[in-house]
Amino acid sequence: MTTARWLPVWLLLVASVACERETRRYRELPASASRPGAIAISELEPGGRTPRTPVLSPYQENAYGIAEGKRLYSAYNCNGCHAQGGGGIGPALMDEKWLYGSEPDQIYSSIAQGRPNGMPAFGSRVPAQQLWQLVAYVQALSVQVPRDAAPSRSDDLNGHAAEAQLDIKVPRMTGHR
Amino acid sequence: MMPVDYQSALHPAGPQAASIAQLWWFMLAVCVVVYGLVMATLVAAVFRAHAVRQAQAERSLTRTVTTATALTTVALFGILVASVRTGRAVGPPDGPVDPLGVEVTGYQWWWDVEYQSPSPPNTVRTANELHVPVGRPVRILLAATDVIHSLWIPNLHGKMDLIPGRRTELWLQADTPGVYRGQCAEFCGLQHAHMALTVVVESPAAFEQWYAAQKQPARPSSTTQTQHGEQLVTRGPCALCHSVRGTDAGGRPGPDLTHLQSRRTLAAGTLPNARQPLEIWITDPQHVKPGVKMPPVGLSTEERAAVVAYLETLR
Amino acid sequence: MTPPYDQSGDGLSNAEIEQLTDTWREPPGLVGWLSAVDHKTIGLRFIVTAFTFFVLAGLLAAAMRVQLARPDNDVLGPDLYNQVFTIHGTTMMFLFAVPVVLGIGIYFVPLMVGARAIAFPRLLAFSYWMYLASGLFLYTMFGLNVGPDRGWFSYVPLAGPEYGVGKRADVWAQLVTFTETSGLGVAVCLVVTIFKLRAPGMSLNRMPLFVWAELVTAFMVIFSMPSVFLASGTLIMDRLVGTHFYNHAEGGDPLLWQHLFWFFAHPEVYIIFLPGNGLVSTIVSTFSGRPAFGYTALVLSLVSTGFIGFGVWVHHMFTTGLPQFGVSFFTAASLMIVVPTGLQVFCWVATLWSGHVRFATPMLYALGFFQVFVLGGLTGVMLASVPLDAQLHDTFFVVAHFHYVLIGGSLFPLLGGLVYWFPKVTGRMLDERLGRVVFWLFVVGFNVTFFPQHLLGLMGMPRRVYTYPAEMRWGTLNLLSSLGAAIMFVALSLYLWNIVRALRHGTPAPGNPWQASTLEWATTSPPPPYNFAPLPTVSNREPLWSASWPDQPIITGLATDRREVLVTRLMDADPDHRREFPAPSPWPFITAVAATGLYVGSIFTPWAVLWGAIPTTLGVLGWVWPRHGQRPSDLARALGGAGTEQRRS
């Protein structure tokens, strides 16, 4: 009888707590998607870098968003140049070397604006929501997302270990290397 | 109000579905008789005047129970035979046939339909709609790209699963012209409920006409508005996923749009194919089918009108 | 008619009775509550917890019926609907149906076989805590939006690492692991109790049919649960550590999942059905006033159903493109299994035919069982045919079928069985008139809910759809089905109210209100902690109906100052030796908490298996550490022989 009495109370308590990892957003972008002003591509600043508080990308902790990013990565043929993240014609996305910065905003603008030597500008083709999902997946490839939100192995030939099991830790670009 | 009969196993339009429907009526008859007998005996047993137990009554009961069990076994064996015979009748044909070959690939949450041909210019790719000529066997090869789906056109045949990594096939034939509806019958995620397939059964002549039209590439746009629409479709987000033969749009993740206007529905049977549903669909697909893989792309009113005008030329 | 059981006489003095009570009762306080090992306490916990989950799953079903009552409805969106139907099915199958039928076994099997206790009481307690933990875990996760949403059968690749996004499918897999652990523990307790703790004279062919049903059920649990353990374990591995069991591109196969799952899940439905079967034998026999007709046939039917039940699983996979010849075998097996069940139905009808039927509420539920279950069984015959199944599989026809066989075959007998045994457990009678009203509401409501669904399936409506288009004109039948669900809701609410009211104001129950024949009626209502004061013996199948019951020998000589139990031999229950059973202990609870941590943690990291194993091992060590009374000297005394026998009067 005790179980019968306490179970509803317990359920009400836990239902009030949300879980970002498991939210599924189909239509609207999270509020964190709106970004202010210009994004610096270069790390070089006169007189040393201004300290910045790291900002998460909208889907950085969202399993559904990262999984969608993974789907779009192959649907839009990113692996044509970047392979499964190890690079080929284009640079690797799984390593610690970031030509144009590893901040979410910087990754976003690299995809949207294109970059010299062959990275096309996808901004006119890919809607903002999907761009952020791709950003989140690139972050997953470089182990910048929580392990339990990162995708697991794909149901296909696997080019690398599941993103949730990758080992490289990429330092956030918040200071001098 | 009774359900419609164009997605119904009880209204067969072909020999396979007819065999199965026949088996159904036979089994229903047997089951109704058995059920009636059991219920009648039960009622009689329960409302009988109180009987004193005797050894003789026990023996007679034993005989009755044994007989009933033996009859049950015989009936079940008869059902087994009927079932196996029907199974053979609806399976792949024995002798040489000249089937129409179609490949149906299941995606979350739409059907890619491709008519096979030994010569590539004769292949036809469409989506969510299947045309078959009356009276000709059709051999459908099934494949899945993501999760397990199941193709079910109840007026024509039972269902067959589409399993990633495996090839399955479904042999069917339609003898009654008409428009039927099929639906995915294996839970495949968020929009499993909205993954239908239109099946048009038409005379061989009408089928050939349709097929010839489907082989043609898209006509070039003529008006300013449709040209603008074509620009937006082939050089905008749409082309990343959709293909329109005769243009630069060659995306494979989504359905082929070359002859969009020849189809009766949109979004795998979710919307009728008309101007307003089309507008709603391309403005906000997530409103119609939450979770579908097609994103809202943020068109202005003028851009939307141009895109819709262009899509309406894709007959 | 048996005289009320006299506790004070028959070979035990009042002082001895008092000491016996003191030895066997549950310790007080919170620690006592956590340490309980009495099978009646734990059996009742299983039943009450199971019914709580039944109510929760029923509310989920009500939500589904509200959503489906009208076409293009938007009460539940697709994501929530998928969670709701998954959790409805998972709760009903794993958290209600199996625990409740095992729970009534836990409570009543030791009483029906005349034993003081159930075998391995601490394992039983551990099984309960694991079961409770699993349910709390599932619903907590549901509240956190991590409720499983891939169906109770969780097919891959949809539930696999790529398409099963987030941790929802892992929650499902671990829930299954939890409930397997619990079920296996209970099954072991039941088997050993039935084999080794029966009253002297209760040879195997004198066991009550309900006990036979629980025995076969327990064996089915033991043989089927490892398959789903393998399935859920490999699924977690695929998702967590990247193995390729179900990845066709790397050598695995999505169909392997279906085989592993259904090899378990088909026996699972017989696990749910057989105890109901046993209850029907009990109720039909009692309320016809005669022993069940065809005892041997009924027992052999139970056993053969148990065996054949393991040979039919592919009938859930008839549309996957497996070779025709192979699947025909499974058609044959699925038809063959109808024979023993049919034989049982005929035997019960024969019992009713040659008995004097009393229409008390439990009997009404047994009659409801016949109406509903036989119909469901016949639609099962239809589904056994491959070509017909090709049309009906994954449609609402199947939904109708399995609700008819599961509700008819298990819930109807259960509801009747609870009315039947309520006086024994609580010492009070339920209101008979209200009971009848509830029965009629329920049976009508059930048929109105599920019968139209047969037609919906034939007319094209697939399963697991969160909505359907208006132009299909499925709305009328769906609305009718939802109205039936509302009637069922009212009926079940009244049923629960009847129980709550009777607990406070019910008329006190006599010792044997139904004039039944089995041993549980030979003790007080509710039974004392030690079940029977001098242990009974039996010399036929219906002990309380035999004319020689007053002269039946009883067992005396077992110690009253410690928990001593008489262990008998398998075939004829000849006394073998005395054994001291463990006292209440909090270690099963502690071990269950540690194991819960291990299981829940392993959703997030494989390291949890290692780190969680340490407290679990410590818990087990604390559990099995020998105490006073279990040392070699004590064992030597225990082997000194059985207790002496005396005449009853």
Side-chain angles (χ1 to χ4, degrees), chain A residues 24 26-27 64 68 71-72 75-76 122 124-127 129-130 155, chain B residues 190 234-237 240-241 253 284 286-287 290-291 293 295-297:
Chain A
R24 273 111 169 114
Y26 311 124
R27 296 168 70 179
Y64 178 75
E68 280 295 287
R71 179 182 71 84
L72 294 168
Y76 294 160
F122 282 93
S124 62
R125 298 286 198 272
V126 180
Q129 182 181 33
Q130 291 188 335
D155 267 319
Chain B
L190 282 165
T234 58
R235 299 203 186 292
L240 274 181
C241 292
D284 192 1
Q286 300 296 327
H287 181 76
K293 307 296 183 186
V297 295

Side-chain angles (χ1 to χ4, degrees), chain C residues 559 562 564 578 580 629 632-641:
Chain C
R562 42 180 194 286
E564 209 163 65
R578 295 182 295 184
E580 183 171 346
S633 50
D634 306 307
L635 291 173
R637 182 158 45 83
L639 288 168

Side-chain angles (χ1 to χ4, degrees), chain B residues 123-148:
Chain B
T123 59
V124 159
R125 183 167 175 250
T126 181
N128 303 317
E129 191 161 296
L130 181 71
H131 284 240
V132 298
V134 172
R136 186 167 169 206
V138 181
R139 180 176 180 236
I140 307 183
L141 279 175
L142 300 165
T145 55
D146 38 30
V147 299
I148 301 179

Side-chain angles (χ1 to χ4, degrees), chain A residues 6-177:
Chain A
W6 285 108
L7 202 53
V9 178
W10 174 263
L11 288 173
L12 278 167
L13 272 171
V14 298
S16 57
V17 179
C19 187
E20 171 57 28
R21 181 189 70 235
E22 297 287 345
T23 313
R24 273 111 169 114
R25 284 187 206 90
Y26 311 124
R27 296 168 70 179
E28 72 284 343
L29 276 168
S32 54
S34 55
R35 297 296 218 232
I39 300 152
I41 299 173
S42 165
E43 297 296 317
L44 213 52
E45 291 177 43
R49 288 205 65 189
T50 339
R52 266 182 300 207
T53 41
V55 182
L56 297 178
S57 77
Y59 294 106
Q60 192 162 348
E61 295 179 337
N62 183 262
Y64 178 75
I66 303 173
E68 280 295 287
K70 182 169 179 171
R71 179 182 71 84
L72 294 168
Y73 184 91
S74 69
Y76 294 160
N77 199 29
C78 309
N79 40 24
C81 293
H82 294 284
Q84 298 288 329
I89 306 170
L93 301 174
M94 295 170 73
D95 63 1
E96 298 177 348
K97 186 166 172 222
W98 297 84
L99 292 166
Y100 302 105
S102 69
E103 292 289 310
D105 300 14
Q106 292 167 326
I107 302 174
Y108 185 99
S109 59
S110 291
I111 304 175
Q113 296 169 2
R115 289 288 179 253
N117 295 324
M119 174 66 186
F122 282 93
S124 62
R125 298 286 198 272
V126 180
Q129 182 181 33
Q130 291 188 335
L131 280 171
W132 282 118
Q133 288 169 345
L134 284 163
V135 167
Y137 181 61
V138 170
Q139 291 179 298
L141 280 172
S142 48
V143 199
Q144 293 183 71
V145 303
R147 216 160 223 258
D148 55 353
S152 187
R153 67 141 176 86
S154 48
D155 267 319
D156 209 333
L157 287 172
N158 277 250
H160 55 71
E163 289 79 359
Q165 283 130 40
L166 291 171
D167 270 335
I168 307 170
K169 275 273 173 259
V170 179
R172 305 291 302 274
M173 297 298 229
T174 52
H176 293 290
R177 296 205 50 196

Side-chain angles (χ1 to χ4, degrees), chain C residues 481-505:
Chain C
S481 178
S482 299
L483 290 173
I487 301 174
M488 277 174 65
F489 184 84
V490 170
L492 290 166
S493 309
L494 286 175
Y495 187 92
L496 287 173
W497 189 60
N498 196 356
I499 290 178
V500 170
R501 200 176 65 162
L503 283 172
R504 302 218 179 107
H505 309 295

Side-chain angles (χ1 to χ4, degrees), chain C residues 517-539:
Chain C
S517 67
T518 40
L519 280 178
E520 77 271 23
W521 301 103
T523 185
T524 57
S525 304
Y530 46 86
N531 290 351
F532 302 94
L535 286 174
T537 66
V538 302
S539 54

Side-chain angles (χ1 to χ4, degrees), chain B residues 58-83:
Chain B
E58 290 289 289
R59 276 197 298 275
S60 135
L61 274 176
T62 309
R63 253 180 287 126
T64 315
V65 168
T66 314
T67 313
T69 311
L71 286 174
T72 306
T73 313
V74 168
L76 288 168
F77 193 76
I79 290 173
L80 176 65
V81 169
S83 169

